[in-house]
Amino acid sequence: MTIGSRLKLARARKQMSMRSLAKQAGISAMSVSKFERDEMMPRQSTLLNIAKALTVQPEFFFREIKVETLEPAYRKRSKLTKRAQKAIEAEVLDHLERYLTIEQILQLHDTDTPSFPRFAIHDLEEIEAISETLRHQWDLGLGPINSLAARLEDHGVKIIALYDHEGFDGFSCWANKKVPVIVFNQDLPGDRQRFTIAHELGHLVLSATDDLDQEEANRFAAAFLVPRTAAIAKLGRSRSNLDFGELRILKREFGVSIQAWVRRAYDLGIITSSTYQRSFRRIGALGWRTSEPEDLPPVHPQRFELLVHQALAEELITPSYASLLMGDTTAYGYRSRQATAPELSQVAERLAELYETDPELIEFAEADLLDVTTEDP
């Protein structure tokens, strides 16, 4: 991946036009176009201005390629614009590159985690048994799953949290055809985050004769978070009505919404269709369809951050490089921030070294790469 292609990626992530980037970086739109087509190399000072405008570290443009392909586990219609979708994909790609970089530094390999399970399904009822089988394989028991993200990360799933993407819940994909990835919106309520993660896990582990649809993925999420035996143990085998007081308690215990509990009871035949409909009418009347009581804490993936600190403790990376890995991201709890003068100085020194030692850059050392001032046609 060239500097030009990485510039396109960073601009897509920021949802910024060439003209807007050019204005903020103090160059012409034609210069940006030439940079992206690799027809011209930016000066060090220009590259620093571009990095600042795009809120990425300058090393982003020289980073080793770690992710060759991203293949969605399920192609679904999205309410997001194409530009918003590309921004999310670019952000995910950036996170994964840094994630795989720290794993490489710590010499973690695919053999360090068990092979990722896949299950073939032919009808909806098979999902109940499959979810229990997966829980057994991953030693999750049949009760509430605490630290859901951590438990999935222990089994090789890369969990990525994104901020500030309205209208986006989550999606799953395969990186480099073998690395399972789940992405979710960090701004959603905690119970919705957990259900989204379990839903996307369904897209990764289930192989249907046709593409797994949303209903099947939702059924898997509910069965994975609340196994049949647990639901029956808590609610009983047959109920004529459900009390919202008990459902609020169960929401806290299992991290699953009241609405999901009602649906789970219906899917398992614990309540009838009329009870299900009556329950949801009550939920609507209380205004709980969009905002339920009993707020749950948000999901915070931590493995990436833990690996960076581990590498730092073992002196495999420097504090400045740890900052490069973590400091410019909006996931894992880190918000974008403006670089300080000392940080920019360190980056400038690193870029100077790259320009002096990288064979692909040496040829540009004596070139007069003045910014082109011609405007776009």
Side-chain angles (χ1 to χ4, degrees):
M1 188 177 287
T2 64
I3 289 180
S5 59
R6 298 198 71 84
L7 175 54
K8 288 181 185 178
L9 187 68
R11 190 165 61 79
R13 174 182 172 181
K14 196 69 174 174
Q15 299 190 56
M16 186 179 290
S17 67
M18 285 188 184
R19 288 183 180 277
S20 179
L21 173 58
K23 183 177 180 180
Q24 292 192 38
I27 56 178
S28 70
M30 184 62 75
S31 293
V32 175
S33 177
K34 286 181 176 289
F35 295 155
E36 290 191 357
R37 295 198 303 268
D38 292 310
E39 295 178 357
M40 188 168 72
M41 281 287 293
R43 292 175 172 179
Q44 295 177 30
S45 58
T46 300
L47 196 60
L48 285 172
N49 288 336
I50 290 173
K52 182 178 179 180
L54 294 171
T55 61
V56 299
Q57 297 284 1
E59 63 87 31
F60 170 86
F61 300 107
F62 302 95
R63 190 184 297 162
E64 180 185 354
I65 299 171
K66 298 292 183 184
V67 182
E68 297 284 353
T69 59
L70 279 182
E71 298 178 359
Y74 172 68
R75 298 187 181 279
K76 55 189 175 183
R77 294 180 180 177
S78 176
K79 297 179 181 178
L80 299 172
T81 65
K82 290 290 186 182
R83 174 174 285 189
Q85 292 180 54
K86 287 184 177 296
I88 289 172
E89 290 173 3
E91 194 168 344
V92 170
L93 186 64
D94 176 42
H95 286 306
L96 280 173
E97 284 184 335
R98 288 183 283 109
Y99 205 139
L100 297 179
T101 294
I102 196 61
E103 287 189 330
Q104 183 183 55
I105 289 170
L106 290 168
Q107 297 184 2
L108 301 178
H109 307 290
D110 295 339
T111 54
D112 296 329
T113 56
S115 59
F116 196 77
R118 301 296 298 275
F119 302 91
I121 64 166
H122 303 90
D123 59 64
L124 211 56
E125 290 304 313
E126 291 179 306
I127 291 176
E128 296 291 337
I130 288 172
S131 67
E132 291 190 11
T133 298
L134 181 60
R135 272 177 163 258
H136 176 72
Q137 290 183 4
W138 285 358
D139 195 26
L140 297 176
L142 293 175
I145 302 177
N146 298 320
S147 304
L148 178 63
R151 303 305 295 270
L152 268 58
E153 287 177 318
D154 288 342
H155 294 278
V157 184
K158 303 294 185 283
I159 309 289
I160 296 176
L162 301 185
Y163 290 89
D164 303 325
H165 288 285
E166 187 177 352
F168 167 74
D169 279 11
F171 84 99
S172 49
C173 61
W174 295 93
N176 298 336
K177 300 184 182 297
K178 62 180 180 179
V179 180
V181 181
I182 292 177
V183 186
F184 72 98
N185 190 337
Q186 186 69 79
D187 298 319
L188 297 175
D191 57 283
R192 191 167 161 188
Q193 290 176 354
R194 286 171 56 85
F195 196 88
T196 295
I197 291 171
H199 174 104
E200 297 302 334
L201 178 64
H203 286 305
L204 290 171
V205 302
L206 299 178
S207 299
T209 50
D210 299 317
D211 277 347
L212 188 75
D213 63 28
Q214 298 294 71
E215 181 184 359
E216 291 168 322
N218 283 340
R219 182 67 175 266
F220 173 86
F224 185 72
L225 295 174
V226 184
R228 182 196 301 266
T229 53
I232 292 175
K234 295 296 182 180
L235 297 176
R237 293 189 178 276
S238 179
R239 296 284 297 273
S240 60
N241 196 14
L242 295 174
D243 181 78
F244 285 171
E246 67 178 323
L247 296 182
R248 291 176 67 159
I249 293 171
L250 292 174
K251 176 178 179 177
R252 292 195 299 267
E253 183 178 358
F254 283 81
V256 174
S257 71
I258 292 170
Q259 295 171 75
W261 266 103
V262 174
R263 177 68 192 205
R264 187 74 177 126
Y266 172 66
D267 286 339
L268 295 175
I270 296 172
I271 61 174
T272 64
S273 176
S274 59
T275 302
Y276 171 76
Q277 294 174 15
R278 184 170 64 249
S279 296
F280 265 91
R281 284 196 296 269
R282 291 169 59 202
I283 288 171
L286 291 168
W288 290 0
R289 293 298 295 267
T290 55
S291 180
E292 286 190 1
E294 305 296 337
D295 290 339
L296 299 179
V299 176
H300 285 300
Q302 296 181 329
R303 183 172 181 269
F304 171 78
E305 184 180 350
L306 286 171
L307 293 180
V308 173
H309 284 294
Q310 181 180 334
L312 196 57
E314 295 297 321
E315 298 184 346
L316 297 174
I317 59 175
T318 63
S320 61
Y321 191 65
S323 177
L324 289 176
L325 286 172
M326 297 196 302
D328 67 334
T329 176
T330 56
Y332 306 106
Y334 293 88
R335 292 284 185 175
S336 295
R337 56 180 176 81
Q338 296 295 329
T340 63
E343 288 172 332
L344 286 176
S345 177
Q346 289 179 352
V347 170
E349 291 175 4
R350 174 171 164 75
L351 284 174
E353 181 181 353
L354 281 169
Y355 271 83
E356 291 173 0
T357 60
D358 192 315
E360 295 182 2
L361 301 179
I362 290 175
E363 62 180 292
F364 293 99
E366 303 300 326
D368 183 13
L369 300 178
L370 293 176
D371 294 334
V372 179
T373 56
T374 307
E375 292 299 326
D376 289 345

